[in-house]
Amino acid sequence: MVLRRLSSWLAPGRGGFAGIPGLSRPRDWQTLARDAVAQCEALVGEVVRSPPSAAVVRLLDNISDTLCQVLDAAEFCRNVHADEEWRRQAQQVCIELSGYVQELNTHFGIYSALVRSLEQHEAASAAAAAAAGAAGAAGAAGGFTPEALLVGRMLRRDFERYGVHLPREQRDRMAALVQRSQQLGMVITQNVVDPRQLGTLELRGPLAVAAQQLPLALQKKFRPLPPGGGGLPGGLAAPADTPTLHALMRGARDERLRRAAFEACQRQPAANLAALDALVEARHEVAALMGFPSYAAYQLDSFSLAGMPSAVVAFLERLTSELAPKCAAELAEMRELKRLHLGGGTAAGDSGTSSTFGASSTAGGGSTSGEQRAQGSSPPGVQVQPWDRQFLAQAARSGEDAAKLNALPEYFELERVVEGLGELLRRSMGVGLKEVPLEAGEGWAPGVRKLEATHDADGFLGTIYLDLHRRPHKFPSAAHFTLRCGRRRADGSYQTPIVALVANMAQHSSLAVSEVEMLFHEFGHALNSLLSRTEYQHLSGTRGPLDMVEVPSHTLELFAHDPRVLSLFARHRATGDPLPPALLRALEASRRRFVALDQQQQLQYCLIDQLLHGPDPPTGQRAADAVAELMRTHSALGHAEGCHPHIRFTHLVGYGATYYSYLYAQCLAARIWQDHLAEDPTSREAGELLRHRLLQPGGAKEAHCMVEDLLSPASHLGKHSSSSGSDSSGSSSSGSSGGTARGDALYHAEGGYYPDPSAMLRQQGLHV
């Protein structure tokens, strides 16, 4: 495969944004939306007139597909398009179509048609089974296949989750709450990238002097500040966007400057605090209307792997306990680094700021006491603060190791990395990637690229757009967007998916290791979309349970950690030499450094997510106090008073009550790797197993059944590392986990499931 860099940008006004027919100008969004609604209204008429059968499920899936092809594309456009008018028109369509979707979700006529179809199928199946004396004798009664039945039941659950069966007053209230939640979600994510909401970080006096010691590339982002009122000296203004503030925290030797950047990152955009409060309140009221004690219970009810919040809590508590000793050891290492690199590491108070941070906390319980003892045993004057973390992690890469790590991007050229991904997929799954030119107006910004995916037996799989480089007003994180789902059409042909992978890389061709891993991660989502072969788009690819969606992406990310996979593409850009063993060793050591503290940070986000979506969700000052207490209890670095660690955490919008999924996925991906891929990551046998058991089913297989199918002893391809681990089945730890082991990979806890974390801890060198 040969990839060509496409440097030209076709103006979006010339037609066909993202390959969508009829979308050549911003105002075409309105036409597309009107046409979609008209088609759906015709389909709604068919649904309410149809006799009870699986045809009703198919019609409902047609409605969903018609709307999603416009709504998903508009959501993508409002997040990535370089032109403000395109973004504005797309956002307006998102709002309007979301309102129409809510009307459909509370349409009693189509809900009734679905219920009649399901009930008739169940009655016919029961009668046939009784007559035949064998259960399931009429499994396809009324045309219902197992997948059609699953979609029908999921759709019924979705209707009822929107309150269609409630009395009129409650139904109207539910509609208003759902619409408000969607609008608040848009506001929260937009605030995180809006310079007007983020403001600037003003650096005056000593802070301005310290900023002038930073790398020139970072200084170029600053602008001069004139003298202020009250005799304030002039200084510098730094943009308060997340990449700039994190660069300051990594690079500033001056502790006051690091602290200023940290506080700006955790206090702005201030508007998000009120928006998050409103979102939490709206979600809790939705759950209450549906008879659930919490939004978390509402979210996890049916079809998720966790099933119940109690399973999530049991998992997080077990992981907290497992990580505590390693976090304490890493904190001690950071403390010594601060002493060495910062001339004794004076406390914040000694450098002109007040020392009021988490080390003095006396919160008890769990792992906190051990972590606090580690912090409290610091030599006098040496105290690691939350704003030190990124600087000290960077400082750990000093001397010879730093030189080796700094040389790594020379071996990861973007073109070769994408080619290497293609070669890996070709060998392991028979999937090929080919870059093709964009049609006129198909792109939305400079540098957008288009890949076509094919399979050596199944033919064309779908389209992947790559939008990898940073620009203003763009979605701030790496992400996978679905523009069109796969599904079987009425004529028997297959509607192939269209997806887009978005990142925020600097404008260069040499990638940092983290960017290589990110690219593999997002390709895992893309493969889930491209390789799923469901009959209904409702179950296509990443439309499975949220706590299974991240498993393919985390599994593919592990490929980027393996030297045998890196050898497919890691070549020096000038000489073509492969990665030297010394650089591979430095890379592996770097990955293991402070990994427990990294995992603890993810755990904190999961706990905040559960807190805000629990039975008594706090808002306002009560929320600030509860989050602060959570941080004191669960962070080795303590809590910075007046800060809000979740203020820019946009996953609270899309993953409300389900952010634990990331840690679930890491546990499951590590087991998949150890059971099937560790011996030979390019094995076609292992690749086919993943393709058929993890990717092709999409959401058409129950989550715990998929896990057991992948990770039961019968599925193992041979002798693998996890089978030899003393804790691989979880039986030795069940007493402390709050659950009982099920199969070879899952615990059962009060009606739900959670994965054994042992494989993940082994994978990351954290298993004790």
Side-chain angles (χ1 to χ4, degrees):
M1 177 183 66
V2 177
L3 293 172
R4 300 179 301 282
R5 183 179 287 107
L6 301 177
S7 57
S8 63
W9 176 36
L10 299 169
R14 288 156 62 183
F17 164 78
I20 300 170
L23 192 54
S24 60
R25 299 163 299 180
R27 64 176 180 268
D28 291 337
W29 279 118
Q30 294 294 329
T31 304
L32 242 62
R34 285 196 300 270
D35 290 348
V37 169
Q39 292 176 46
C40 289
E41 286 296 290
L43 290 167
V44 166
E46 290 187 53
V47 170
V48 297
R49 292 191 300 270
S50 290
S53 73
V56 169
V57 174
R58 176 65 67 181
L59 287 168
L60 291 176
D61 196 65
N62 289 345
I63 292 171
S64 179
D65 186 63
T66 301
L67 282 173
C68 286
Q69 287 197 45
V70 179
L71 191 50
D72 289 347
E75 176 69 15
F76 175 64
C77 181
R78 82 173 186 88
N79 276 290
V80 302
H81 209 293
D83 184 85
E84 182 178 3
E85 181 62 13
W86 276 88
R87 295 195 305 271
R88 190 187 69 79
Q89 293 276 7
Q91 176 151 330
Q92 185 60 35
V93 160
C94 285
I95 294 170
E96 292 171 3
L97 283 186
S98 294
Y100 179 65
V101 168
Q102 179 58 22
E103 289 180 25
L104 294 180
N105 286 337
T106 55
H107 192 299
F108 194 77
I110 55 181
Y111 166 72
S112 299
L114 175 63
V115 170
R116 286 194 301 270
S117 298
L118 291 171
E119 289 178 347
Q120 178 167 303
H121 161 75
E122 290 162 3
S125 295
F144 276 94
T145 63
E147 187 173 329
L149 188 58
L150 177 61
V151 173
R153 288 171 174 167
M154 291 178 74
L155 286 170
R156 177 174 183 172
R157 193 271 318 250
D158 289 345
F159 273 118
E160 292 174 355
R161 280 164 58 87
Y162 283 98
V164 67
H165 59 307
L166 297 176
R168 177 62 180 267
E169 184 177 344
Q170 291 176 303
R171 188 166 69 245
D172 290 346
R173 180 60 181 161
M174 176 73 79
L177 289 167
V178 170
Q179 185 177 24
R180 177 160 172 73
S181 297
Q182 291 168 341
Q183 291 171 349
L184 286 165
M186 290 182 189
V187 168
I188 290 165
T189 55
Q190 185 60 36
N191 284 347
V192 172
V193 296
D194 186 347
R196 294 167 297 182
Q197 292 292 334
L198 296 175
T200 58
L201 175 61
E202 294 191 358
L203 307 173
R204 299 181 187 270
L207 294 183
V209 173
Q212 290 167 354
Q213 310 305 313
L214 293 166
L216 289 176
L218 187 53
Q219 288 189 49
K220 288 180 180 178
K221 295 188 174 186
F222 304 159
R223 60 177 175 81
L225 277 176
L232 278 176
L236 299 169
D241 61 88
T242 302
T244 300
L245 295 177
H246 280 263
L248 284 170
M249 285 185 272
R250 284 193 303 271
R253 287 187 60 82
D254 188 289
E255 183 163 348
R256 292 164 298 184
L257 182 52
R258 294 197 305 277
R259 177 175 181 170
F262 179 88
E263 290 178 344
C265 201
Q266 295 209 356
R267 292 177 178 173
Q268 297 294 339
N272 269 5
L273 292 176
L276 281 167
D277 282 350
L279 179 63
V280 164
E281 289 173 342
R283 286 174 167 176
H284 188 64
E285 188 176 348
V286 163
L289 280 171
M290 289 300 299
F292 288 92
S294 69
Y295 188 75
Y298 169 77
Q299 278 287 79
L300 300 184
D301 180 56
S302 304
F303 304 110
S304 70
L305 179 60
M308 299 280 287
S310 55
V312 177
V313 171
F315 171 74
L316 297 177
E317 287 178 348
R318 175 171 175 181
L319 197 51
T320 295
S321 177
E322 297 266 13
L323 287 174
K326 289 289 187 178
C327 287
E330 290 181 1
L331 177 62
E333 184 182 351
M334 277 198 167
R335 195 167 56 245
E336 180 63 12
L337 280 167
K338 186 170 183 179
R339 187 185 67 80
L340 290 172
H341 286 273
L342 298 173
T346 56
D350 296 329
S351 59
T353 56
S354 60
S355 181
T356 58
F357 294 84
S360 62
S361 169
T362 57
S367 63
T368 310
S369 57
E371 294 164 11
Q372 288 167 345
R373 283 196 299 271
Q375 182 81 296
S377 63
S378 306
V382 180
Q383 199 172 66
V384 178
Q385 303 287 3
W387 50 81
D388 293 329
R389 174 184 176 149
Q390 293 193 48
F391 177 83
L392 294 176
Q394 191 80 1
R397 303 171 177 180
S398 59
E400 184 180 346
D401 278 352
K404 291 173 183 175
L405 294 170
N406 290 338
L408 283 170
E410 294 298 306
Y411 291 84
F412 297 124
E413 192 174 11
L414 177 59
E415 301 301 310
R416 281 182 170 155
V417 172
V418 179
E419 286 183 10
L421 257 169
E423 179 61 16
L424 169 65
L425 299 179
R426 184 190 66 78
R427 292 187 187 188
S428 63
M429 298 182 187
V431 174
L433 302 176
K434 178 184 178 182
E435 182 158 0
V436 296
L438 292 168
E439 300 292 336
E442 194 172 359
W444 51 87
V448 172
R449 304 167 65 173
K450 180 180 178 181
L451 305 178
E452 290 183 346
T454 57
H455 186 264
D456 56 14
D458 297 341
F460 181 66
L461 295 173
T463 301
I464 308 172
Y465 291 101
L466 301 181
D467 182 2
L468 303 179
H469 295 300
R470 190 179 305 155
R471 61 178 176 271
H473 306 291
K474 184 182 177 184
F475 188 79
S477 306
H480 161 273
F481 288 86
T482 302
L483 280 71
R484 184 176 76 187
C485 286
R487 68 173 189 141
R488 185 72 58 190
R489 296 190 181 100
D491 62 4
S493 64
Y494 201 80
Q495 175 176 289
T496 54
I498 301 172
V499 302
L501 304 186
V502 173
N504 281 271
M505 301 175 182
Q507 293 286 343
H508 52 60
S509 60
S510 295
L511 305 185
V513 172
S514 60
E515 292 175 321
V516 176
E517 295 168 351
M518 174 275 296
L519 201 55
F520 271 69
H521 180 101
E522 299 305 335
F523 257 92
H525 286 309
L527 282 178
N528 201 8
S529 293
L530 294 170
L531 290 176
S532 76
R533 279 298 179 268
T534 56
E535 295 295 306
Y536 297 87
Q537 66 89 35
H538 196 75
L539 302 174
S540 177
T542 56
R543 297 204 168 178
L546 272 176
D547 49 14
M548 287 296 294
V549 163
E550 293 292 333
V551 176
S553 56
H554 281 278
T555 302
L556 204 68
E557 190 175 332
L558 291 177
F559 282 89
H561 293 188
D562 192 277
R564 293 162 293 181
V565 175
L566 294 179
S567 69
L568 297 177
F569 57 85
R571 295 283 188 277
H572 195 280
R573 59 184 304 169
T575 67
D577 293 337
L579 263 175
L583 264 63
L584 283 168
R585 289 192 295 271
L587 175 58
E588 179 60 20
S590 175
R591 285 199 180 104
R592 297 289 176 104
R593 190 171 289 125
F594 304 128
V595 65
L597 289 172
D598 289 342
Q599 288 293 71
Q600 190 182 66
Q601 185 177 56
Q602 292 304 308
L603 188 61
Q604 291 155 16
Y605 286 136
C606 294
L607 290 166
I608 290 171
D609 184 35
Q610 292 299 305
L611 169 72
L612 297 180
H613 296 109
D616 182 24
T619 56
Q621 187 58 47
R622 199 162 66 91
D625 293 343
V627 170
E629 181 61 21
L630 185 151
M631 294 297 292
R632 294 187 193 102
T633 305
H634 292 279
S635 173
L637 301 180
H639 173 63
E641 298 300 331
C643 289
H644 311 281
H646 59 301
I647 199 167
R648 300 191 186 204
F649 185 51
T650 56
H651 281 85
L652 287 172
V653 175
Y655 280 81
T658 61
Y659 188 69
Y660 71 87
S661 302
Y662 278 82
L663 291 177
Y664 263 43
Q666 287 184 20
C667 296
L668 294 170
R671 271 297 302 270
I672 291 169
W673 181 269
Q674 292 165 21
D675 284 2
H676 301 305
L677 298 162
E679 289 185 359
D680 180 6
T682 63
S683 159
R684 184 65 182 261
E685 182 184 6
E688 287 298 322
L689 183 142
L690 296 186
R691 185 165 78 93
H692 289 290
R693 298 193 187 184
L694 178 64
L695 301 170
Q696 278 193 351
K701 185 185 290 186
E702 286 188 77
H704 73 273
C705 293
M706 182 182 290
V707 173
E708 290 164 0
D709 196 25
L710 270 167
L711 298 177
S712 66
S715 73
H716 293 182
L717 296 174
K719 183 180 178 181
H720 304 292
S721 59
S722 69
S723 61
S724 62
S726 62
D727 203 24
S728 63
S729 70
S731 58
S732 65
S733 304
S734 60
S736 63
S737 68
T740 56
R742 176 186 173 98
D744 196 37
L746 294 176
Y747 281 96
H748 187 272
E750 299 182 39
Y753 301 94
Y754 69 90
D756 182 354
S758 302
M760 178 189 75
L761 296 171
R762 275 194 300 273
Q763 194 77 22
Q764 297 176 350
L766 296 173
H767 195 265
V768 179

